Amino acid sequence: MDTPATGLTFRDATDADVDALVALVESAYRGDSSRAGWTTEADILEGQRTDPQGVLEVIKGPESRLLTVEQDGRIVACCQLEHRGDHAYFGMFAVSPALQGSGLGKIVMAEAERLVRETWGATEMRMTVISVREDLIAWYERRGYRRTGKTQPFPYGDERFGIPLRPDLRFELLVKPLV
């Protein structure tokens, strides 16, 4: 395992970052390039993971931010943070496949949790994960998240979220206290 990435810069995404962020998210989850990392969804979903409009909505949202992580001037990770009252939502988490396993994901999560506590006073972080992603859920559990058993249906038929390759997909809510 590589050592955690160094020389990182954390900042909010801007309109100028949209294309690079779409490319990063797609590379981490879809197609053959995603198989270089362990977060791939290529075996359960085809099509897109996000698009420029979806990324712009997060950037422009009044209660959201798209935390962008750069190393040597290149975007290597990102995550969506959305203020929802006493809690924050964590989504659109992507780490460059070449850097997965280096500890970068843990660093990004810790910074995201710190930001929502300090900026919004959030006492809990919530996320939804495709329930069949047992390896990914286990990774989040090692970071202190717990499964709630609460699920939402996958938006079958809405290709903005991908084209499912199996009929049993749903999102499971994971939560972590931040106090």
Side-chain angles (χ1 to χ4, degrees):
M1 181 160 132
D2 298 343
T3 57
T6 57
L8 300 174
T9 302
F10 292 83
R11 63 175 177 80
D12 286 336
T14 67
D15 295 11
D17 297 320
V18 170
D19 290 341
L21 289 165
V22 170
L24 171 67
V25 172
E26 294 298 312
S27 75
Y29 290 96
R30 297 289 197 273
D32 286 336
S33 66
S34 69
R35 294 181 193 281
W38 67 274
T39 61
T40 183
E41 294 173 344
D43 295 329
I44 59 173
L45 291 161
E46 290 180 338
Q48 70 179 31
R49 179 66 159 30
T50 193
D51 57 28
Q53 179 183 345
V55 171
L56 263 176
E57 286 173 7
V58 175
I59 292 171
K60 300 284 190 196
E63 292 291 323
S64 72
R65 60 196 299 182
L66 189 50
L67 184 63
T68 301
V69 185
E70 289 182 328
Q71 184 178 43
D72 299 324
R74 189 173 61 91
I75 295 174
V76 295
C78 68
C79 66
Q80 168 191 3
L81 301 172
E82 186 174 317
H83 186 206
R84 296 183 179 176
D86 64 346
H87 71 276
Y89 178 79
F90 179 86
M92 206 180 291
F93 185 31
V95 173
S96 171
L99 294 173
Q100 290 178 20
S102 71
L104 178 57
K106 293 175 199 172
I107 293 168
V108 174
M109 285 205 79
E111 178 63 8
E113 291 166 1
R114 184 193 69 77
L115 277 173
V116 301
R117 265 193 321 269
E118 292 182 7
T119 306
W120 296 324
T123 58
E124 184 177 76
M125 186 82 89
R126 298 181 186 178
M127 70 174 75
T128 54
V129 180
I130 296 173
S131 61
V132 298
R133 298 291 318 277
E134 294 293 337
D135 55 344
L136 186 57
I137 291 171
W139 189 86
Y140 287 126
E141 287 177 317
R142 291 191 298 275
R143 313 276 90 67
Y145 289 80
R146 65 176 175 77
R147 298 177 95 153
T148 64
K150 295 178 183 173
T151 62
Q152 301 171 303
F154 186 87
Y156 284 89
D158 187 343
E159 291 189 7
R160 290 178 304 153
F161 299 97
I163 302 166
L165 300 177
R166 48 191 288 178
D168 62 341
L169 301 182
R170 63 187 190 286
F171 293 109
E172 182 171 353
L173 177 66
L174 300 168
V175 299
K176 177 181 181 176
L178 297 178
V179 288

